[in-house]
Amino acid sequence: MSEEGPASDAWAKACAEDLAAEKARRRAESGQPPTSAADELRKLVDVVADKLSGMQSPLFGAAASGMVQQVRAAVEPVIERNPEVFDHLAAAGSELLAAYRSAVEGHERRWTSPPEENQGPTERIDLD
């Protein structure tokens, strides 16, 4: 039995609210305040930089160090000037994911429903 329209929207909204509440509960337990997408990008750049600088390869180590500095020099000013842009991008990514999920669920319903529900009027041809 498939849910359509307001019922499926209510279900998606309830799931999103539950997920947000669970994330907030876990943050509260761990003592971490909510972070913005810009802060998360900074953390990602820092982690990648640490991993690259920790590589022991003589060829890649020197190149990685220069590359890390270039990435930081390019990312930091953008983050400083436009931190809200990253929140909007994160929200847009979530919306795209929701649209993709909806499209896939529609196809799955068509693929898994009995054949008589997928087809319009048919004509039976007797070959005897």
Side-chain angles (χ1 to χ4, degrees), residues 62-80:
S65 176
M67 185 173 51
V68 166
Q69 295 305 322
Q70 286 179 342
V71 168
R72 281 189 176 159
V75 169
E76 275 301 321
V78 174
I79 293 173
E80 292 298 321

Side-chain angles (χ1 to χ4, degrees), residues 19-84:
L19 180 60
E22 179 63 17
K23 285 181 179 179
R25 184 188 67 77
R26 287 184 181 197
R27 269 192 229 105
E29 283 181 356
S30 67
Q32 296 175 341
T35 59
S36 70
D39 292 335
E40 291 298 322
L41 180 59
R42 278 190 190 101
K43 288 179 188 176
L44 176 65
V45 169
D46 289 341
V47 167
V48 170
D50 290 343
K51 291 292 181 184
L52 288 175
S53 63
M55 294 184 138
Q56 299 300 322
S57 170
L59 270 168
F60 190 68
S65 176
M67 185 173 51
V68 166
Q69 295 305 322
Q70 286 179 342
V71 168
R72 281 189 176 159
V75 169
E76 275 301 321
V78 174
I79 293 173
E80 292 298 321
R81 285 191 304 263
N82 307 304
E84 70 281 349

